[in-house]
Amino acid sequence: MSADSPHLGILGGGQLAQMLALAALPLGVRVTVLEPDAQAPARLCATHLHAPYTDAAGLDALAGCDAVTLEFENVPVEALTALEGRVPVRPGRGLLERSKHRAREKEALREAGARTAPFVVIESESDLDGALERVGGQGILKTSELGYDGKGQARASDAAGLQSAWDELGRVPCVLEGLVKFGREVSLAVARGPDGALAFGPLIENVHRNGILRTSLFLEGDPHEAQAREIAGRVAQAWALEGLMTLEFFGLPGGELLVNEVAPRVHNSGHLTQDGGGVSQFEAQVRAVLGLPLSDWRPLHPCAMVNIVGVEDADGQALGPDWAGIDALAGTRLHLYHKAWRAGRKLGHVNLVTADEQTLRARLSQLETLIP
């Protein structure tokens, strides 16, 4: 590798940074991650700056890269502020401030012309009065910041339940979202280069279990993909995205899509693009951030993904997947994150690729029986 090869910095060193680095290496791109966890998964395939995200020396090192991107949205905004004017950060501070705060995110989505579930901002006890009625009588209270994978949220169907939920969440600023009767959950990623050019990933159907993504499925010809692309493109342009972001949607029974959340990065649901035969979401983010040629990315074959999450039995003992069964099932590809086991923790995923939809659905059912 030449000394003048592109150099990408990443704030965060978890499994997403690991997979970004693995996608960058074949492009001749060097990768450095700033991550406080000594056992960060990305340390195995990138230069690991073992320091807090706001560490001055670590940020100085990232400032020497050609561009910096984000692995997840819980990076302190102060880190991006320290890098401003020294190195391109894509996505930038403004978009991060918006997407990591649920109230600001939803307000900005509506300003961009995207529909969301009804919501009320809860910042003080007085905001609880009449809030449920304003969102339809039932809702989910979510912390405005730091919630993910089902954490930081609670359901409420009456005033007493809403008060209890707010107390349980620590009486911090929250968003109360009205319950939406949706038919399915889907996601789609959009990338935008420094020149303003847009590119899109595929529409992916998702199923969650206990607030954590369980399976994702891609099939060609989804009738709602054009609508998802139009919404994602509108938001990307309105927010002046540079880099990649993923939109999660509720699909209503009539076919309309509501935006649920936005992640300023690659997304768990897009992992199936690693093995579907086309460009992966990880390569797409690397390309968008570094200003490399960019085009739509999508699998060439029907494919799916199942998450591997730490699960325990009634006695608190770890329940592991049937590794031999996974290996024996045709079309599977295992991706482990080199993370210590913990209940509820994402430890890896299995991608599944087949030649046709019928085979994919049959094997996906088999695969799910092999992964607790």
Side-chain angles (χ1 to χ4, degrees):
M1 185 178 294
S2 65
D4 60 351
S5 58
H7 192 179
L8 176 66
I10 302 177
L11 284 161
Q15 69 263 20
L16 298 181
Q18 181 189 72
M19 290 181 274
L20 283 166
L22 290 172
L25 290 172
L27 299 175
V29 175
R30 296 176 293 144
V31 176
T32 296
V33 303
L34 178 60
E35 165 61 54
D37 182 0
Q39 299 302 311
R43 78 190 190 283
L44 301 172
C45 52
T47 299
H48 177 202
L49 303 175
H50 178 211
Y53 298 121
T54 54
D55 179 73
L59 291 170
D60 285 345
L62 288 191
C65 296
D66 293 293
V68 173
T69 194
L70 310 174
E71 185 216 19
F72 72 143
E73 51 268 46
N74 289 334
V75 170
V77 172
E78 293 78 8
L80 278 69
T81 301
L83 292 171
E84 279 187 342
R86 304 170 67 192
V87 60
V89 182
R90 299 168 176 151
R93 177 169 60 88
L95 197 148
L96 176 65
E97 288 179 322
R98 187 179 300 123
S99 63
K100 72 183 297 179
H101 190 281
R102 284 193 170 99
R104 288 196 293 263
E105 177 182 273
K106 291 183 179 300
E107 289 163 353
L109 283 167
R110 290 190 172 184
E111 289 172 3
R115 287 195 61 195
T116 71
F119 70 94
V120 173
V121 177
I122 307 294
E123 295 186 331
S124 66
E125 191 154 6
S126 63
D127 293 329
L128 299 175
D129 295 337
L132 273 175
E133 290 74 12
R134 292 164 61 190
V135 299
Q138 297 185 77
I140 302 178
L141 188 67
K142 301 180 179 180
T143 57
S144 287
E145 295 189 84
L146 301 179
Y148 64 96
D149 287 343
K151 300 178 178 66
Q153 57 184 262
R155 290 199 177 201
S157 56
D158 55 38
L162 179 58
Q163 178 72 62
S164 176
W166 195 52
D167 292 341
E168 178 186 326
L169 294 177
R171 303 171 69 89
V172 297
C174 290
V175 171
L176 177 65
E177 299 177 6
L179 285 181
V180 174
K181 294 182 179 180
F182 56 87
R184 61 178 186 152
E185 294 178 87
V186 294
S187 55
L188 182 139
V190 56
R192 184 173 179 270
D195 60 355
L198 290 174
F200 299 89
L203 189 66
I204 298 167
E205 185 166 342
N206 304 307
V207 175
H208 291 78
R209 187 173 73 180
N210 299 324
I212 300 176
L213 182 64
R214 171 63 173 176
T215 63
S216 293
L217 177 74
F218 165 76
L219 297 170
E220 191 64 66
D222 192 296
H224 300 127
E225 183 166 320
Q227 181 186 169
R229 285 171 62 111
E230 194 276 329
I231 295 170
R234 190 189 311 156
V235 174
Q237 295 285 28
W239 291 9
L241 169 70
E242 289 187 359
L244 181 147
M245 68 182 185
T246 307
L247 287 78
E248 301 176 37
F249 300 92
F250 292 135
L252 303 187
E256 186 176 12
L257 297 179
L258 303 184
V259 181
N260 177 32
E261 293 183 349
V262 177
R265 51 170 171 79
V266 288
H267 193 265
N268 196 170
S269 64
H271 292 355
L272 53 75
T273 61
Q274 291 172 303
D275 298 305
V279 170
S280 75
Q281 64 168 349
F282 301 100
E283 181 176 336
Q285 179 162 332
V286 171
R287 286 180 171 276
V289 171
L290 290 173
L292 300 175
L294 187 65
S295 60
D296 290 352
W297 67 98
R298 63 191 305 108
L300 303 178
H301 309 284
C303 53
M305 183 231 40
V306 180
N307 263 331
I308 299 173
V309 177
V311 176
E312 58 187 16
D313 62 18
D315 297 322
Q317 299 299 308
L319 292 175
D322 179 349
W323 302 113
I326 293 171
D327 283 344
L329 186 62
T332 58
R333 183 83 180 275
L334 177 64
H335 299 263
L336 293 178
Y337 305 153
H338 304 273
K339 295 165 71 173
W341 184 91
R342 187 173 70 228
R345 190 181 206 185
K346 292 177 183 175
L347 304 172
H349 65 273
V350 180
N351 286 334
L352 174 66
V353 183
T354 66
D356 58 78
E357 177 180 348
Q358 183 177 0
T359 303
L360 180 68
R361 292 189 181 278
R363 289 187 188 161
L364 179 57
S365 295
Q366 290 179 267
L367 179 59
E368 285 205 75
T369 67
L370 302 174
I371 303 174

